[in-house]
Amino acid sequence: MGVCAVHEAMGQFLDQVCAKIRCRAVHQDIRDELAGHMQELAGRYQADGMDADAAAREAVRQMGDSAAIGAQLDKKHRPRTDWPTLLFMALFVACGALAMAVCSRGIAARTVGNEWYYFQRFLCYMPLGAAVLAALYFFDYTRLQKRPWIWLVAGAALFAAARLFGAAVAGRYYLAMGPLSVSPMHIAPVLFLIGFAGLIERYRGGGAAEVVKLCVVAAVTLLLLVGYPCLGNALVLAAVYAVLLTAAVLRGHFRGRRRVYLLALYGTGAVLLLMTWLYLVLEHYDVGRFTEFLNFGASDASGNGWIYQQIHNFLSAASWIGPGMHRITIDMALPEPHTNLVLVALIAEAGILAGIAVAALCSLLVCRMAVTAHKTRQGFGHYLSLAMCALIGLEFLFGILGGLGWMPLFDIGVPFLSYGGSNYLASMAAVGLSLSVWRRGRMLPSAPPAAARPRGRFLTIEDGQMLIRWK
């Protein structure tokens, strides 16, 4: 048997192994690794005096049963289901329905003549959100990486379309799509982060010029949110950008000194944040309202400090379980409790333990999404899941702390709980993308380049036996 025939036998062995593996994305890596092991074995046999043909045949024989190897590798690379996250999401849907049912009765009856209006609207958005989450869960997220600029342009186009064709409500523009209204300030950040994560991966191995490009992209998208205007969402998006760039620098994603990158990023970010904050406080955001937050609303209880006084009164009167003293007048004393102040309304109606349970559920979901980001080996998947985790986590933080009066109120609700179709669908999309990354965690090759990738990622040979790595 000639050399070509031996190589043909090795190829047949590799074909038989890969035929058992349904995840085609790992076929080439597995073929390369198995071929490397066979060549290594053949080299040892040749060193012991075998001719090339006999050494190659023996190497193929020593590899074992191709069907068994393929079956084990297929089991290793099957899609995974993140059952804890799905459980948390089911609980959040139940909490959202409860929140809309208990805190919107009075205001809905007074404004639209139907005390169950917001609850019924939530029931309409709930299947849409579930459909978005399921669609992204089964979607191959790596397709989003190919053209990152498309997602950045799509987010910007959403703002332009709202301005040109949308209806103005309280100084902001919304796109009407049948019975639904689309808010760019909730949908666009998800699109921006998809594109930003793709650019980070595209610029892998770059230097200071690539970092500057990413900062420029971040600045432009933030200006779109600030001009909408929506300071809260802009602050959240800026913080997520900072998390992504910090993670990329610390992981050695860019050439150069990490400390210099971090000092430049945070120094520039701090100056821009201060300038933006001063401008918005002086021009748009009421200075008195911020001052009253610092004074807990005590110096102007009938004006800017009224909302903080009401939050304090409701929380101090809440019972541990069940409705507190203010159950009858909750809609009369809190402005639109179904949005920013939904947690206060839920605590006043269901008790302090309900608020603690919601906060704990928020923490568990964010921690689980962080686990997905930490365990993801594929570069784009890591940054995408980290972005969605940071987005949901910071929205929880702003929504909960602002709603409880522990920080200035921004137009940021609690994800999955506050009323609103766009923010609900955007939050579902963020979790769906994280689930998609987790599902394909075993199915995709690692991020490092081939030169830096350790051999034996799938298999290793010890004492003449081939072992399959499961982690």
Side-chain angles (χ1 to χ4, degrees):
M1 183 180 295
V3 175
C4 293
V6 172
H7 283 294
E8 182 179 353
M10 286 187 176
Q12 290 176 354
F13 177 85
L14 296 174
D15 291 339
Q16 292 168 1
V17 171
C18 290
K20 297 291 184 179
I21 304 172
R22 285 168 285 186
C23 178
R24 295 182 179 275
V26 297
H27 279 192
Q28 189 58 49
D29 276 11
I30 290 176
R31 293 179 72 93
D32 292 343
E33 190 167 332
L34 287 173
H37 286 305
M38 287 189 289
Q39 291 172 1
E40 184 178 351
L41 288 173
R44 293 178 183 176
Y45 295 139
Q46 283 187 273
D48 292 338
M50 284 189 179
D51 61 74
D53 291 349
R57 288 195 299 271
E58 182 64 18
V60 172
R61 190 183 70 82
Q62 288 294 330
M63 294 298 290
D65 184 8
S66 60
I69 295 173
Q72 293 183 61
L73 289 173
D74 177 67
K75 184 177 180 179
K76 170 180 167 58
H77 293 287
R78 285 178 183 173
R80 300 180 296 177
T81 299
D82 190 356
W83 294 111
T85 298
L86 292 177
L87 174 61
F88 298 151
M89 292 307 302
L91 294 175
F92 263 120
V93 170
C95 289
L98 175 63
M100 289 299 100
V102 302
C103 76
S104 67
R105 290 172 298 177
I107 184 173
R110 188 172 67 249
T111 56
V112 298
N114 178 4
E115 66 177 4
W116 295 107
Y117 174 77
Y118 294 112
F119 178 70
Q120 292 170 351
R121 295 283 288 181
F122 177 82
L123 293 181
C124 293
Y125 286 123
M126 186 171 64
L128 289 177
V132 170
L133 185 145
L136 290 175
Y137 168 68
F138 290 105
F139 179 73
D140 183 1
Y141 74 90
T142 57
R143 296 183 181 180
L144 304 174
Q145 179 185 355
K146 297 178 181 179
R147 296 177 178 86
W149 288 106
I150 288 181
W151 307 108
L152 296 167
V153 172
L158 195 58
F159 281 104
R163 178 74 68 170
L164 294 174
F165 309 108
V169 179
R172 294 172 179 168
Y173 291 85
Y174 296 82
L175 281 172
M177 301 179 64
L180 306 178
S181 59
V182 177
S183 172
M185 69 180 184
H186 295 119
I187 303 297
V190 177
L191 299 176
F192 289 153
L193 290 174
I194 293 173
F196 197 78
L199 286 181
I200 291 179
E201 184 60 22
R202 174 173 291 187
Y203 294 155
R204 175 180 294 274
E210 283 69 28
V211 176
V212 171
K213 292 178 184 177
L214 290 170
C215 291
V216 170
V217 170
V220 171
T221 56
L222 290 173
L223 286 176
L224 290 174
L225 277 172
V226 171
Y228 183 63
C230 187
L231 175 61
N233 290 73
L235 290 175
V236 169
L237 186 60
V240 178
Y241 284 148
V243 170
L244 291 178
L245 289 174
T246 301
V249 170
L250 293 179
R251 287 165 63 93
H253 194 93
F254 305 107
R255 298 191 311 270
R257 300 182 61 180
R258 301 178 185 180
R259 184 176 301 178
V260 174
Y261 282 138
L262 293 178
L263 288 175
L265 287 173
Y266 283 96
T268 305
V271 172
L272 293 176
L273 182 62
L274 178 61
M275 293 173 61
T276 304
W277 177 262
L278 290 176
Y279 170 77
L280 291 171
V281 166
L282 295 175
E283 297 294 332
H284 298 283
Y285 194 79
D286 194 345
V287 178
R289 188 174 176 183
F290 180 72
T291 304
E292 286 305 317
F293 161 73
L294 298 177
N295 295 328
F296 301 100
S299 60
D300 187 14
S302 61
N304 292 305
W306 176 80
I307 184 63
Y308 298 110
Q309 284 289 312
Q310 293 303 312
I311 291 174
H312 173 74
N313 292 337
F314 271 83
L315 293 178
S316 61
S319 60
W320 283 99
I321 301 177
M325 297 172 53
H326 296 287
R327 181 176 184 231
I328 303 295
T329 61
I330 183 171
D331 62 288
M332 305 293 291
L334 288 177
E336 299 190 349
H338 56 297
T339 55
N340 295 35
L341 303 179
V342 64
L343 189 59
V344 178
L346 186 62
I347 291 174
E349 289 283 338
I352 297 175
L353 289 181
I356 295 176
V358 168
L361 187 58
C362 296
S363 301
L364 290 173
L365 177 62
V366 173
C367 288
R368 184 62 190 176
M369 293 177 72
V371 169
T372 298
H374 176 70
K375 290 188 175 182
T376 301
R377 301 171 302 183
Q378 202 266 349
F380 173 67
H382 170 77
Y383 292 114
L384 180 63
S385 57
L386 180 61
M388 298 303 113
C389 172
L391 179 65
I392 293 295
L394 288 167
E395 286 182 346
F396 275 137
L397 186 66
F398 275 63
I400 292 176
L401 296 185
L404 296 179
W406 295 349
M407 68 178 294
L409 274 172
F410 295 103
D411 194 9
I412 299 179
V414 182
F416 312 111
L417 298 184
S418 297
Y419 174 79
S422 295
N423 60 329
Y424 186 76
L425 296 180
S427 298
M428 282 292 193
V431 176
L433 288 171
S434 179
L435 286 170
S436 178
V437 173
W438 176 265
R439 183 173 186 267
R440 288 163 177 76
R442 295 176 177 177
M443 300 167 61
L444 299 173
S446 301
R453 186 178 300 157
R455 293 190 63 182
R457 185 168 68 89
F458 299 117
L459 310 119
T460 185
I461 295 180
E462 297 180 5
D463 298 329
Q465 295 183 342
M466 184 175 66
L467 306 177
I468 296 178
R469 297 181 181 271
W470 292 97
K471 295 183 180 180

